[in-house]
Amino acid sequence: MSIRHGLLALLAQGPRYGYQLRAEFESSTGSTWPLNIGQVYSTLSRLERDELVLRGDADEEGRFVYSITAEGTAEVRHWFATPVERTDRPRDELAIKLAMAVTTPGVDVADVVQTQRTATLRALQDLTRLKAGASAAPADPGEQAWRLVLESMVFHAEAEVRWLDHCESFMVRVTPPARPAAAPADAPKEARR
Amino acid sequence: MNVLRMRAVGRDHGSGAGLVRALRDIDLSVAGGEFVAVMGPSGSGKSTLLTLAGGLDTPTAGQVLVDGDDLGSLGPARLAALRRRRIGYVFQDLNLIPGLTAAENVMLPRELDGVRTRAARREARAALAEVGVGDLADRFPDEMSGGQQQRVAIARALVGDRGLVLTDEPTGALDSQTGDEVMRLLRTRCDAGAACLMVTHDARHAAWADRVVFLRDGALVDGTGARPGPDTLLEAGR
């Protein structure tokens, strides 16, 4: 997750203190990705090293104001103009689990799918409750940003359920039906529906 | 109080070697104020379940009760009256009558029920306003967008304070924004006390429900459980 670019994008709107950056980052993502202040300062010092931000002088309370440089502004512009790489996303534990379930003897893939589907649906219900409790058309930009982040999580959960549905029907299609024990081995195959 | 109660409901088609068990041993209740979604792939029996719940089809086993009345024990006239007065249907194909305006479409079931035209019109306008299309009362269906038509269909299902709303993929071909608005309306209706049963294959819409149950090959296999509320907390404390 690009905290680096998130902080740069906030600084592109004007100089800010470290604690301000933390608060604004969290409010615009609906506190989905809480930051600790240490992360903020370590990221800022790397940005300073790379000459993307400048640290000003300390005020009377010993706090530093950070501002963006011309290179920093160019970096933010480049970030918004560039798609996120697929490979930057973490490995999908669920895909790995299902792959293992299919190849491990004695594991009921349908059970694994259903257990996950119910859990994901519950998560989706929680997200939807948050959405239902808020205005359908928020006017505040912070609210709008939070809504987009929320919808991102909603769509991911939905995609997961659709993928699970797909896995289930795929496995039904490729798994040969259990034959009745009494059927002779050379019986002609019946046409399946 | 359960508005809808399905007890050990089954529905077979055909017999002998051609027997198809569309639904088996379905136990499902929907209380007033509760929104229940049934999810399942095509062919799992979702639509059959909904037509049985609405008295549009008859189970081959078990009972369906609406407000405590066993649908199987009612004669055709009383069943038709119960369907008209207490159950609202919203289906994917909206079944709006093309030659009638939005208001007339909403009025129709009330007039069939003996409500006078003037009162029915007043109710229809209120129901249309409630779903956000009060200004379209005099338009014909082909003068409205898909989303607006779906709102009219929902107004028709809700008019006259019906306690049970049954809906089959109500967001059909609507875009995600309009689909969300439709779900918001159904949610509001449930929060105001109606019982709502929706069948869908869409997880994003099912998630608006208090409880989601999964249908596979005609049987309920799992569910997300009830939304924690005062009643369930009381139940848990017993």
Side-chain angles (χ1 to χ4, degrees):
Chain A
M1 226 294 295
S2 191
I3 297 170
R4 178 183 166 92
H5 286 109
L7 298 186
L8 265 186
L10 290 170
L11 287 172
Q13 299 166 34
R16 278 152 169 77
Y17 292 109
Y19 73 88
Q20 268 182 308
L21 286 168
R22 177 190 172 192
E24 287 183 36
F25 184 93
E26 289 193 353
S27 76
S28 62
T29 56
S31 304
T32 310
W33 297 287
L35 290 183
N36 66 49
I37 197 71
Q39 277 174 299
V40 173
Y41 284 114
S42 63
T43 307
L44 282 170
S45 69
R46 279 197 297 276
L47 288 168
E48 194 185 355
R49 180 198 65 199
D50 299 340
E51 299 181 343
L52 300 175
V53 307
L54 269 181
R55 192 176 77 164
D57 296 326
D59 65 10
E60 58 274 23
E61 289 175 51
R63 299 176 308 186
F64 295 98
V65 168
Y66 292 82
S67 53
I68 196 162
T69 63
E71 285 100 328
T73 308
E75 177 71 22
V76 170
R77 213 174 289 136
H78 178 71
W79 183 55
F80 280 124
T82 317
V84 175
E85 292 282 338
R86 303 285 315 169
T87 51
D88 286 354
R89 305 192 186 169
R91 274 190 297 258
D92 187 335
E93 183 187 339
L94 179 58
I96 295 170
K97 184 186 278 192
L98 269 194
M100 292 296 168
V102 169
T103 50
T104 307
V107 176
D108 187 336
V109 179
D111 279 354
V112 175
V113 167
Q114 184 55 46
T115 301
Q116 185 65 47
R117 182 164 32 219
T118 303
T120 307
L121 230 312
R122 278 200 194 105
L124 195 48
Q125 285 178 297
D126 290 341
L127 295 169
T128 305
R129 249 167 242 147
L130 287 175
K131 192 164 83 170
S135 155
D140 172 54
E143 274 284 298
Q144 291 166 358
W146 157 230
R147 183 64 64 84
L148 294 186
V149 172
L150 184 60
E151 293 286 6
S152 158
M153 295 188 279
V154 166
F155 276 84
H156 274 113
E158 181 202 12
E160 190 169 291
V161 173
R162 289 182 59 194
W163 176 68
L164 289 165
D165 290 347
H166 174 82
C167 292
E168 183 177 70
S169 59
F170 174 80
M171 290 311 292
V172 168
R173 197 154 36 101
V174 298
T175 310
R179 281 162 166 254
D186 57 349
K189 277 181 190 162
E190 276 185 40
R192 297 195 62 214
R193 66 191 170 107
Chain B
M1 160 87 192
N2 287 321
V3 175
L4 172 68
R5 186 137 188 224
M6 302 179 85
R7 266 196 212 140
V9 167
R11 180 68 172 96
D12 296 343
H13 296 287
S15 61
L19 177 73
V20 176
R21 309 195 72 186
L23 283 179
R24 293 177 274 135
D25 208 20
I26 300 290
D27 281 305
L28 182 64
S29 297
V30 187
E34 192 184 27
F35 188 173
V36 175
V38 180
M39 278 194 84
S42 23
S44 59
K46 296 194 300 283
S47 297
T48 303
L49 189 149
L50 204 70
T51 52
L52 290 174
L56 301 168
D57 186 14
T58 311
T60 43
Q63 286 178 307
V64 178
L65 297 100
V66 173
D67 289 329
D69 285 332
D70 180 356
L71 300 189
S73 72
L74 301 177
R78 286 189 58 204
L79 179 60
L82 179 146
R83 283 204 306 252
R84 231 172 25 238
R85 285 179 198 149
R86 299 201 223 151
I87 308 178
Y89 305 87
V90 187
F91 292 132
Q92 189 171 356
D93 40 357
L94 312 166
N95 300 318
L96 293 180
I97 297 169
L100 299 182
T101 65
E104 288 163 351
N105 264 287
V106 177
M107 288 163 64
L108 187 63
R110 300 296 287 156
E111 289 189 285
L112 287 175
D113 227 11
V115 174
R116 298 198 170 219
T117 302
R118 185 189 292 260
R121 184 171 296 277
R122 199 170 50 234
E123 283 180 358
R125 291 196 175 263
L128 288 167
E130 192 186 329
V131 299
V133 288
D135 51 337
L136 305 180
D138 298 322
R139 295 242 192 121
F140 290 94
D142 65 359
E143 298 169 335
M144 292 182 277
S145 71
Q148 290 167 339
Q149 290 184 41
Q150 188 59 292
R151 282 167 183 261
V152 174
I154 291 176
R156 184 185 53 187
L158 303 183
V159 74
D161 280 326
R162 287 176 215 157
L164 178 61
V165 179
L166 301 176
T167 169
D168 191 347
E169 303 285 6
T171 55
L174 304 178
D175 62 63
S176 67
Q177 199 60 44
T178 319
D180 266 5
E181 287 166 17
V182 167
M183 298 315 299
R184 211 174 259 277
L185 285 174
L186 291 173
R187 179 74 258 176
T188 306
R189 189 64 183 194
C190 288
D191 292 342
C196 183
L197 182 66
M198 171 173 76
V199 302
T200 182
H201 65 271
D202 189 329
R204 207 155 43 84
H205 294 139
W208 284 84
D210 299 307
R211 188 151 59 93
V212 183
V213 295
F214 298 94
L215 196 61
R216 285 292 174 284
D217 301 325
L220 292 176
V221 293
D222 197 7
T224 60
R227 178 181 185 172
D231 296 345
T232 46
L233 291 176
L234 281 175
E235 291 280 328
R238 267 174 205 158

